[in-house]
């Protein structure tokens, strides 16, 4: 029998050496400093939107359009039509166009991380707004400038606290989740579920994605109402799904705000009107107006100021006690 060890050992050693060299090369690329941002006007800025099928996204896009002239930006805008793959393609197109700065809300945490690394290698700084990416794949302050956004876990916790108070700590809850894989959906679920878990009489009896869309939320709620007639409360990850759920509850002959208590997140005009009418118990604000803040952060970054990896946005909480005075903030 032939002894292969004397042939395989050098081969294995060679393969290990190649792997180590490749890892070292990757590490050196990862450790490269963030690209600089030129102090020039106009600054060519790529804004890659996830979709434009709800008031929140429309308000976010408008905030970038409105701030462009004030900030000295020439904005290149795209719409991914609810597709992470298309958003990646849109951003790659912007990289090819050699934009000076990329600003976008990643539709999903994992698929959008690699394109951030591609932008860095192309010498284009990235600012994320509204949603973040998986930090094991791309790191804020290292691979991209910063994440500007709300504390989604805290939003979920505040929604849970509002529901616990309204139900006296006893409820059968349906949870309408946002888009699968989105940081906002993952964190809003965690914040809510963790808080609810500490109250034994608060039970989440069903949890399903409504993709942050009104009609999808309505359809999901219709199905869950049939399979879970014992439901007494609903938590929606955003106002569009909440408004869809309200329609489904009414169609089933029940009264939202009485038979079924509801809490949501966003602070849209429709959401605030639902709070005012009593159909929503609590609506936690999640501001879409990132344009001015992104401009401010970009200008500071150009000057060489230190930017924290998370520029945290403060959010209001709306209920019956303060909704009238805050209607002006709806969008």
């Amino acid at each position: 029998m032939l002894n292969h060890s004397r042939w395989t050992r050098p081969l294995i050693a060679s393969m290990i050496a190649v792997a180590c060299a490749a890892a070292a090369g990757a590490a050196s690329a990862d450790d490269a400093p963030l690209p600089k941002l030129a102090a020039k006007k106009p600054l060519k800025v790529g804004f890659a939107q996830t979709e434009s099928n709800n008031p929140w996204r429309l308000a976010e896009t408008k905030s970038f359009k409105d701030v462009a002239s004030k900030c000295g930006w020439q904005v290149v805008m795209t719409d991914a039509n609810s597709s992470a793959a298309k958003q990646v393609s849109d951003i790659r197109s912007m990289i090819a166009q050699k934009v000076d700065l990329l600003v976008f809300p990643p539709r999903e945490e994992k698929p959008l991380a690699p394109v951030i690394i591609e932008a860095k290698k192309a010498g284009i700084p990235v600012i994320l707004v509204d949603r973040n990416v998986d930090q094991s794949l791309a790191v804020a302050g290292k691979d991209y400038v910063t994440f500007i956004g709300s504390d989604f876990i805290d939003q979920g916790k505040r929604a849970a606290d509002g529901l616990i108070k309204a139900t006296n700590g006893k409820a059968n809850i349906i949870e309408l989740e946002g888009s699968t894989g989105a940081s906002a959906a993952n964190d809003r679920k965690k914040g809510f579920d963790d808080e609810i878990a500490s109250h034994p009489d608060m039970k989440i009896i069903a949890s399903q994605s409504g993709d942050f869309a009104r009609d999808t939320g309505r359809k999901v709620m219709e199905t869950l109402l049939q399979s879970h007639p014992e439901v007494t409360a609903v938590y929606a990850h955003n106002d569009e799904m909440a408004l869809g759920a309200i329609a489904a509850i009414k169609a089933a002959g029940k009264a939202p705000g009485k038979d079924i208590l509801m809490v949501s997140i966003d602070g849209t005009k429709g959401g605030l009107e639902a709070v005012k009418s009593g159909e929503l118990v609590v609506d936690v604000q999640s501001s879409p107006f990132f344009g001015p803040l992104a401009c401010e952060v970009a200008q500071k970054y150009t000057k060489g100021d230190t930017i924290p990896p998370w520029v945290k946005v403060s959010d209001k909480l709306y209920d019956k006690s303060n909704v009238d005075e805050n209607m002006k903030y709806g969008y």
Side-chain angles (χ1 to χ4, degrees), residues 232-253:
T232 60
V234 171
Y235 164 48
H237 285 197
N238 80 333
D239 285 355
E240 282 296 284
M241 292 189 297
L243 295 172
I246 285 171
I249 291 167
K250 288 178 177 178

Side-chain angles (χ1 to χ4, degrees), residues 8 26 59 69 92-93 120 134 140 144 146 158 183-184 190 194 207 234 237 250 253 262 286 292 304 306 308 322-323:
T8 56
S69 60
R92 283 181 174 149
S93 175
K120 180 184 178 184
D134 188 325
Y144 58 100
T146 189
R158 292 167 80 188
S183 63
K190 177 173 174 51
D194 287 354
S207 189
V234 171
H237 285 197
K250 288 178 177 178
M262 298 184 60
S286 191
T306 300
N322 67 2
V323 69

Side-chain angles (χ1 to χ4, degrees), residues 14-239:
S14 175
M15 291 171 67
I16 291 171
V18 170
C20 289
S28 63
D30 289 346
D31 291 339
L34 284 168
K36 295 187 183 300
L37 185 59
K40 67 174 188 178
K41 290 187 179 180
L43 199 69
K44 193 173 182 181
V45 179
F47 177 68
Q49 183 57 280
T50 59
E51 59 260 324
S52 300
N53 61 358
N54 63 72
W56 199 99
R57 289 288 159 204
L58 293 173
E60 182 183 47
T61 299
K62 185 176 184 298
S63 77
F64 279 93
K65 288 179 178 177
D66 291 348
V67 84
S69 60
K70 299 174 188 174
C71 203
W73 285 359
Q74 175 194 343
V75 182
V76 178
M77 290 194 170
T78 57
D79 186 332
N81 295 318
S82 304
S83 165
K86 185 177 185 304
Q87 190 178 28
V88 169
S89 177
D90 290 342
I91 294 165
R92 283 181 174 149
S93 175
M94 291 176 180
I95 293 172
Q97 293 175 53
K98 294 180 166 46
V99 297
D100 299 305
L101 172 68
L102 275 166
V103 183
F104 63 92
R107 177 168 168 78
E108 296 175 27
E109 283 188 298
K110 293 184 185 296
L112 273 298
V115 80
I116 290 173
I117 307 299
E118 291 175 30
K120 180 184 178 184
K121 288 178 179 176
I124 302 170
V126 174
I127 293 174
L128 299 185
V129 295
D130 164 36
R131 298 181 185 178
N132 212 338
V133 291
D134 188 325
Q135 294 297 287
S136 69
L137 302 175
V139 182
K142 180 182 175 185
D143 298 314
Y144 58 100
V145 177
T146 189
F147 164 61
I148 304 174
S150 301
D151 185 337
F152 299 132
I153 291 177
D154 184 62
Q155 288 177 348
K157 180 183 181 302
R158 292 167 80 188
D161 289 339
L163 191 60
I164 291 163
K165 183 178 178 183
T167 61
N168 294 315
K170 187 173 183 178
N172 293 322
I173 307 160
I174 285 176
E175 181 172 355
L176 297 177
E177 299 178 26
S179 302
T180 303
S183 63
N186 293 342
D187 289 352
R188 286 174 184 172
K189 179 174 179 60
K190 177 173 174 51
F192 183 86
D193 291 7
D194 287 354
E195 188 70 8
I196 291 299
S198 63
H199 293 76
D201 292 327
M202 302 287 289
K203 296 180 175 62
I204 299 171
I205 56 175
S207 189
Q208 188 172 327
S209 173
D211 202 26
F212 284 130
R214 184 181 301 202
D215 197 48
T216 309
R218 177 186 61 79
K219 290 175 181 176
V220 170
M221 192 66 202
E222 284 176 353
T223 302
L224 292 179
L225 277 170
Q226 292 174 8
S227 55
H228 296 280
E230 74 276 22
V231 60
T232 60
V234 171
Y235 164 48
H237 285 197
N238 80 333
D239 285 355

